[in-house]
Amino acid sequence: MEAQVLSNEGRNEEANASYASAISSARASRFIHEQGLACELAGFHHKKIGNNSIAWVFFDQAKQCYTEWGSQVKVDSISRQLEAFRSLIA
């Protein structure tokens, strides 16, 4: 939540640190679905600020988390994001 607020306020460096903290915390707690969500939101944040290659990495990590979690709906959603991004990264 904090990372989203910071991102919306344009406090991008602080948002980046907050997303990293959320991802790390979820990973340490073995909450794979929360880690996936944090990665997905970090991806949208980086996409919004034009860091497309970093966004790609976060979306890919989210896809891996959602795959491990077993949520095909989320995997499909992230796959569509990655497909839309393919032309921006190439």
Side-chain angles (χ1 to χ4, degrees), residues 12-85:
N12 296 325
E13 292 302 316
E14 292 169 273
N16 293 344
S18 187
Y19 284 116
S21 177
I23 292 166
S24 178
S25 178
R27 183 182 302 120
S29 299
R30 298 184 182 183
F31 294 148
I32 194 71
H33 60 292
E34 295 291 334
Q35 182 182 344
L37 179 60
C39 288
E40 183 178 5
L41 294 174
F44 283 118
H45 164 72
H46 283 281
K47 181 179 175 185
K48 179 178 81 172
I49 63 174
N51 292 335
N52 293 332
S53 59
I54 295 172
W56 175 278
V57 170
F58 280 115
F59 283 131
D60 190 55
Q61 288 175 358
K63 182 179 174 182
Q64 291 172 23
C65 291
Y66 291 140
T67 298
E68 185 177 333
W69 187 38
S71 177
Q72 191 60 46
V73 171
K74 290 302 288 181
V75 170
D76 292 345
S77 174
I78 296 296
S79 293
R80 285 190 296 275
Q81 286 292 328
L82 290 170
E83 187 59 36
F85 248 23

